[in-house]
């Protein structure tokens, strides 16, 4: 809620983050993968990526979607999304990671070494 209020152009969030698969530790020089399933509002939305926000030791991943135009429909209202944090984007340390949805989110601890 606070993140959405702080952004000039808030992203179209999924309704809920249903599951997350991600390692509890990562090497600073390697990409960090996060796989998630999310429930979208309807089949007129399609996942397009994600945004990563960092404040101190808190990381917030915001999966983003876009509205489909015309009569196009997405195949699944609960898609599997694979997001990659680029190698070197996170310095060594202990983090609390949250993947945000508009109604529910998922969080876990991450050690980067």
């Amino acid at each position: 809620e606070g993140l959405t209020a702080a952004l000039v152009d808030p992203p179209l969030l999924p309704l809920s983050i249903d599951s997350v698969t991600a390692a509890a530790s990562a090497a600073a020089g390697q990409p960090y993968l996060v796989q998630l399933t999310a429930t979208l509002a309807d089949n007129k939305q399609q996942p397009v990526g994600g945004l990563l926000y960092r404040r101190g030791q808190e990381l917030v991943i915001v999966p983003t979607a876009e509205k489909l135009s015309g009569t196009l429909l997405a195949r699944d209202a609960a898609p599997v999304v694979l997001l990659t944090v680029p190698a070197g984007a996170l310095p060594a340390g202990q983090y609390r990671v949250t993947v945000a949805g508009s109604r529910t989110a998922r969080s876990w601890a991450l050690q980067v070494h």
Side-chain angles (χ1 to χ4, degrees):
E1 187 174 294
L3 181 63
T4 302
L7 297 174
V8 173
D9 188 15
L12 184 59
L13 294 173
L15 290 178
S16 64
I17 306 302
D18 303 321
S19 69
V20 173
T21 303
S25 66
Q30 297 294 318
Y32 181 65
L33 303 177
V34 178
Q35 180 177 305
L36 60 99
T37 57
T39 299
L40 302 175
D42 56 42
N43 283 38
K44 293 292 292 176
Q45 293 182 10
Q46 173 177 300
V48 293
L51 304 169
L52 175 66
Y53 296 94
R54 177 177 168 225
R55 183 175 61 186
Q57 301 310 107
E58 183 178 357
L59 303 174
V60 178
I61 298 173
V62 179
T64 56
E66 67 182 11
K67 287 275 190 192
L68 296 173
S69 62
T71 60
L72 295 175
L73 295 175
R75 292 178 184 222
D76 193 350
V80 175
V81 179
L82 180 62
L83 302 172
T84 303
V85 177
L90 299 174
Q94 181 73 28
Y95 297 92
R96 183 73 182 159
V97 184
T98 301
V99 179
S102 62
R103 293 185 185 160
T104 64
R106 301 282 178 165
S107 296
W108 67 96
L110 169 62
Q111 177 69 45
V112 177
H113 48 87

